[in-house]
Amino acid sequence: MSKLWGGRFTKETNKLVEDFTASIEFDKELALEDIQGSIAHVQMLSDCSIISEDDAVTIKHGLKMIEKKIVAGEVEFSVAHEDIHMNIETLLIDEIGPVGGKLHTGRSRNDQVATDMHLYLKKQTQSIITLLTDVQKSILFKSKENVHTILPGYTHLQRAQPVSFAHHLMAYFWMLERDKERLQDSLKRINWSPLGAGALAGTTFPIDREQTASLLGFERVYPNSMDAVSDRDFIVEFLSHASLIMTHISRLSEELVIWSSQEFQFIELDDSFCTGSSIMPQKKNPDVPELLRAKTGRVYGNLVGLLTVLKGLPLAYNKDMQEDKEGMFDTVRTLDGSLRLLAPMIETMTVNQENMFAAVSQDFSNATDIADYLVTKGLPFRQAHEIIGKIVLYAINQDKYLLGLSLEEYQQFSPLFTGDIFEILQPKHVVDARKSEGGTSFEQVKNQLALAEKYI
């Protein structure tokens, strides 16, 4: 089968080369964007009197017929036509005859594919922002139920200070909020139009790039045609933001795995988000958060892969850039699937409030509050810190926790201790005492939830 570009060649393409260089197996995902760009392009060609209005009407009708067939699953794409652009152009010529060949006037596949990817990534970025908001809503829902639920907060995976469970969960809300803001900001750069840049140098035809940009909903055109066809910064930026989103998802997933273990028993994931063992009937495995952790690696890989492709490329377009798409598609699918699972998994999980409270009742996470207590009595913090360290060591040797010591035992270390120390050490008091802005006191957590409502 002769190629649409085959006039200069005397031999058919080697079948191995054809299979190796063809991108239709993955860039067919851009089919609807390709047609969208083509309709705008042909409208502009007509308005600029580059082709006749009748030809433009015929071509647009043909493109819309092909679009309907694609949506209906009635189109089979061919490797022989290499990519989505040549496949659709071939289908168009088959549909409406030779006039379909006028569609490619004043453009190249180089600016065409770049346009397709801008359109695709704009749509997908907006969708991911919506999905992130859905996860935030689930976090907010679960947080509202657990403002007064207390669990150990950790540093170095060692119990540090008790916190509100809502406060802990909301840390992820704000991570995702920053992720959304990064994506929203990236739309400013995704929203550039490369259409009309041609292969690299523009075109001799009197086209109107501003018109096609407007028709496609782009905010501006690339000022430099070489930059327009060779820029993949917007994809790298998306992959970078996606990697950070997956980092946040992975961190939360790690906590869900730990919290649902027999050793912690802080939460139980709903059965619909877990699997069992083929040999151990007692098992309930947190497969979903485990896979969310693992899929982070493939998103990182897609980012590094594209950076590696681009790092040594001279201007303008090179065939290497064909490798820009599969990682982008894979990352979109991975993010989409991960976020769609995460939201209902959080919303349906059971919080074991009693187990969480038992944990903070049998540790030394209230030790800092004794130091703060002595500071309010006039003792310098550094001296208070040393005294409390000795009290903790003493309690460990006595096989007791801080609430289990008597007033007389406390007064062995400092005469500043009085009977109010036992109220100070209660987990609820420890949590509620941290009233600084952004702290874990119940009042501050409620303020945080009210603020979060405004963001979603």
Side-chain angles (χ1 to χ4, degrees):
M1 182 181 296
S2 62
K3 309 293 186 185
L4 293 180
W5 45 259
R8 177 248 186 271
F9 288 80
T10 58
K11 289 185 178 180
E12 292 291 322
T13 307
N14 184 295
K15 184 65 168 62
L16 292 174
V17 172
E18 191 172 76
D19 291 341
F20 186 71
T21 60
S23 60
I24 187 59
E25 288 305 316
F26 52 86
D27 70 12
K28 61 187 178 184
E29 195 155 344
L30 297 171
L32 299 185
E33 285 77 15
D34 198 72
I35 290 173
Q36 182 185 358
S38 291
I39 289 174
H41 179 69
V42 78
Q43 180 63 53
M44 178 275 297
L45 291 177
S46 173
D47 290 346
C48 292
S49 302
I50 297 170
I51 66 172
S52 70
E53 185 177 345
D54 287 345
D55 285 347
V57 169
T58 301
I59 292 170
K60 284 191 289 183
H61 174 74
L63 287 168
K64 289 175 182 177
M65 291 297 294
I66 294 167
E67 181 180 38
K68 287 181 182 177
K69 291 178 181 178
I70 291 172
V71 171
E74 299 171 359
V75 172
E76 261 190 52
F77 298 113
S78 169
V79 170
H81 299 309
E82 303 172 25
D83 55 37
I84 189 60
H85 325 296
M86 302 300 276
N87 267 270
I88 287 179
E89 187 171 338
T90 301
L91 289 168
L92 179 66
I93 293 170
D94 289 344
E95 182 80 26
I96 64 173
V99 68
K102 294 186 178 183
L103 170 62
H104 208 52
T105 306
R107 73 176 183 185
S108 161
R109 281 187 292 176
N110 295 356
D111 61 336
Q112 188 179 356
V113 68
T115 301
D116 291 357
M117 289 190 293
H118 277 271
L119 290 170
Y120 172 86
L121 206 50
K122 178 181 177 181
K123 178 177 68 177
Q124 297 300 332
T125 296
Q126 291 167 334
S127 174
I128 289 166
I129 288 170
T130 299
L131 292 173
L132 283 166
T133 302
D134 290 341
V135 177
Q136 286 181 298
K137 288 177 180 177
S138 295
I139 291 172
L140 188 57
F141 169 80
K142 192 57 67 174
S143 296
K144 286 178 178 178
E145 293 183 338
N146 289 282
V147 172
H148 294 91
T149 301
I150 299 173
L151 83 163
Y154 293 81
T155 62
H156 308 278
L157 208 55
Q158 303 294 316
R159 293 184 190 177
Q161 294 176 330
V163 296
S164 159
F165 185 48
H167 190 60
H168 193 133
L169 283 178
M170 286 301 293
Y172 290 102
F173 178 98
W174 299 112
M175 291 182 207
L176 299 181
E177 182 60 32
R178 293 192 297 275
D179 290 329
K180 280 170 53 179
E181 289 177 2
R182 276 184 282 269
L183 288 174
Q184 286 162 344
D185 185 69
S186 74
L187 285 170
K188 291 187 297 188
R189 289 166 289 284
I190 295 173
N191 223 10
W192 287 33
S193 175
L195 191 56
L200 78 162
T203 177
T204 59
F205 293 97
I207 63 172
D208 185 346
R209 293 187 62 206
E210 295 290 347
Q211 182 186 2
T212 51
S214 176
L215 289 171
L216 294 171
F218 290 126
E219 292 178 355
R220 59 180 296 184
V221 301
Y222 278 86
N224 183 292
S225 60
M226 295 181 75
D227 183 40
V229 298
S230 63
D231 173 33
R232 295 299 182 268
D233 294 359
F234 67 103
I235 302 178
V236 172
E237 187 175 5
F238 169 75
L239 295 176
S240 176
H241 295 338
S243 295
L244 195 48
I245 294 169
M246 288 304 297
T247 299
H248 295 152
I249 291 174
S250 184
R251 293 181 71 181
L252 175 55
S253 296
E254 172 73 3
E255 302 224 74
L256 295 176
V257 170
I258 292 173
W259 289 340
S260 62
S261 69
Q262 193 70 24
E263 286 70 26
F264 278 73
Q265 298 185 62
F266 285 176
I267 66 164
E268 183 176 358
L269 297 175
D270 190 82
D271 283 0
S272 60
F273 292 96
C274 297
T275 64
S277 166
S278 62
I279 188 172
M280 296 168 284
Q282 82 281 8
K283 296 289 296 298
K284 180 177 177 179
N285 299 327
D287 281 10
V288 172
E290 288 174 351
L291 270 176
L292 291 176
R293 280 186 316 198
K295 287 182 180 294
T296 302
R298 70 190 296 153
V299 174
Y300 291 175
N302 292 334
L303 170 61
V304 174
L306 182 55
L307 285 170
T308 305
V309 166
L310 295 173
K311 71 175 183 63
L313 291 187
L315 293 177
Y317 182 84
N318 298 271
K319 189 66 169 178
D320 311 51
M321 290 182 177
Q322 184 170 294
E323 291 296 306
D324 60 1
K325 299 172 193 64
E326 287 182 279
M328 177 181 70
F329 296 148
D330 180 70
T331 293
V332 166
R333 285 191 294 268
T334 301
L335 260 185
D336 183 90
S338 298
L339 293 170
R340 288 182 189 277
L341 276 170
L342 189 57
M345 185 169 62
I346 292 170
E347 196 162 325
T348 58
M349 74 180 180
T350 300
V351 178
N352 298 324
Q353 298 176 344
E354 296 80 7
N355 290 351
M356 289 182 177
F357 190 78
V360 296
S361 302
Q362 299 175 17
D363 63 15
F364 295 94
S365 62
N366 48 4
T368 303
D369 289 72
I370 311 180
D372 292 345
Y373 171 85
L374 292 178
V375 169
T376 64
K377 301 279 186 173
L379 197 67
F381 179 81
R382 192 49 59 198
Q383 292 181 35
H385 187 283
E386 182 179 359
I387 289 172
I388 305 313
K390 292 177 179 178
I391 293 174
V392 170
L393 179 61
Y394 171 81
I396 291 172
N397 290 334
Q398 297 297 312
D399 197 23
K400 295 179 179 180
Y401 295 110
L402 295 176
L403 274 170
L405 298 177
S406 66
L407 180 59
E408 291 74 19
E409 287 174 301
Y410 276 109
Q411 290 176 337
Q412 292 176 27
F413 296 91
S414 173
L416 296 175
F417 285 110
T418 57
D420 59 348
I421 185 61
F422 298 105
E423 175 62 26
I424 296 295
L425 290 176
Q426 294 295 328
K428 181 178 179 181
H429 186 279
V430 172
V431 172
D432 206 30
R434 284 162 170 76
K435 298 183 184 295
S436 57
E437 185 174 356
T440 191
S441 75
F442 304 128
E443 179 184 359
Q444 284 296 325
V445 171
K446 289 176 182 176
N447 290 342
Q448 185 183 165
L449 298 178
L451 177 63
E453 287 277 9
K454 297 178 181 178
Y455 279 81
I456 61 172

